[in-house]
Amino acid sequence: AALKTDKKRRKISHIDLDEIETRLFIDNKFVNSTGGKTFETIDPSTESVICKVQQASPEDVDKAVEAAKKAFAVGSPWRNLSAADRRNLLLKLADLVERDRIYLEEVESLDNGKPLGLKGNYGSKVDLSLVIDCYRYYAGWTDKITGDTIPVDEKTLCYTRKEPIGVCACIIPWNFPLLMQAWKIAPALACGNTVVLKTSEKTPLSALHV
């Protein structure tokens, strides 16, 4: 939970600092860290504590990997999705990011320290536009990943087939949190993989909302 005793915390119009999600997201639900450890995330503009975030333990990482393996298993709902279904889910994710973009712009500014980017200047508003475009771009690739038929001789059928590789471990830095998240998970999901994502400990908040 956010630390109410820190009087220097910035007030952002669309953010309730006491309602920011700080738990781990594993197996399609938010959970507390098994070790009970937390770390502080800081507003760089004031150097004040925004809130304390759950710190994943090795056991939590193992649980996340096992959940991702289970989701990727043959016969699972995810593996049974068609390319068009994956496209529709990525488009829905882009729509949801667009729905919450004002909140996400402000969380990104608060946790990362970059400006919002008013009056056409660079800031988190620009980042959010790129995030939405990224998800929609890779959504368009889901049904365009094809193999080749290779001519060799009349008695042989030679072809290639592209398949997802499995669980992808993704680590993102602090400078473009939401955009780096999109760059990692959008192509992985478009190809049919599953993902375990580690955000930067300096900027975890916007990714947790997504």
Side-chain angles (χ1 to χ4, degrees):
L3 303 182
K4 297 180 180 179
T5 57
D6 194 333
K7 296 180 180 179
K8 293 196 302 179
R9 289 189 307 166
R10 278 196 290 163
K11 292 183 178 180
I12 306 294
S13 60
H14 295 89
I15 301 175
D16 183 343
L17 294 176
D18 297 315
E19 297 296 328
I20 291 178
E21 184 57 67
T22 61
R23 293 171 293 173
L24 310 176
F25 190 73
I26 299 175
D27 200 14
N28 205 35
K29 57 183 177 290
F30 284 103
V31 297
N32 291 321
S33 168
T34 55
K37 292 184 178 181
T38 62
F39 62 91
E40 295 177 345
T41 186
I42 306 297
D43 177 354
S45 70
T46 64
E47 297 185 342
S48 61
V49 176
I50 302 170
C51 60
K52 288 186 176 182
V53 179
Q54 297 282 325
Q55 180 174 319
S57 67
E59 291 79 10
D60 293 318
V61 176
D62 289 342
K63 289 179 180 179
V65 172
E66 285 304 313
K69 286 182 177 179
K70 181 180 178 181
F72 186 74
V74 174
S76 70
W78 174 251
R79 285 295 294 273
N80 285 337
L81 290 179
S82 67
D85 290 331
R86 295 200 306 275
R87 175 200 64 206
N88 293 340
L89 287 175
L90 284 170
L91 289 173
K92 182 178 181 180
L93 177 56
D95 291 343
L96 292 172
V97 172
E98 188 167 42
R99 182 197 68 185
D100 292 355
R101 68 174 298 162
I102 294 176
Y103 177 86
L104 287 167
E105 288 166 0
E106 294 184 351
V107 170
E108 197 84 323
S109 175
L110 177 69
D111 203 20
N112 175 272
K114 65 176 64 183
L116 286 171
L118 303 176
K119 298 181 179 179
N121 295 312
Y122 171 73
S124 60
K125 288 182 176 294
V126 174
D127 288 359
L128 261 294
S129 294
L130 295 172
V131 168
I132 295 164
D133 288 346
C134 181
Y135 283 120
R136 288 176 176 158
Y137 171 81
Y138 282 105
W141 269 104
T142 60
D143 57 358
K144 299 174 183 65
I145 303 170
T146 61
D148 296 304
T149 303
I150 304 165
V152 284
D153 61 50
E154 294 181 357
K155 298 180 179 179
T156 303
L157 173 63
C158 182
Y159 68 94
T160 62
R161 173 184 168 92
K162 296 179 181 178
E163 298 181 341
I165 60 173
V167 180
C168 299
C170 303
I171 302 173
I172 58 175
W174 56 269
N175 49 338
F176 296 95
L178 281 174
L179 188 53
M180 293 288 188
Q181 181 186 43
W183 285 348
K184 297 292 186 182
I185 69 175
L189 296 178
C191 293
N193 300 291
T194 56
V195 173
V196 175
L197 178 77
K198 179 200 173 293
T199 66
S200 168
E201 69 278 6
K202 295 179 173 62
T203 53
L205 299 181
S206 56
L208 283 172
H209 183 79
V210 173

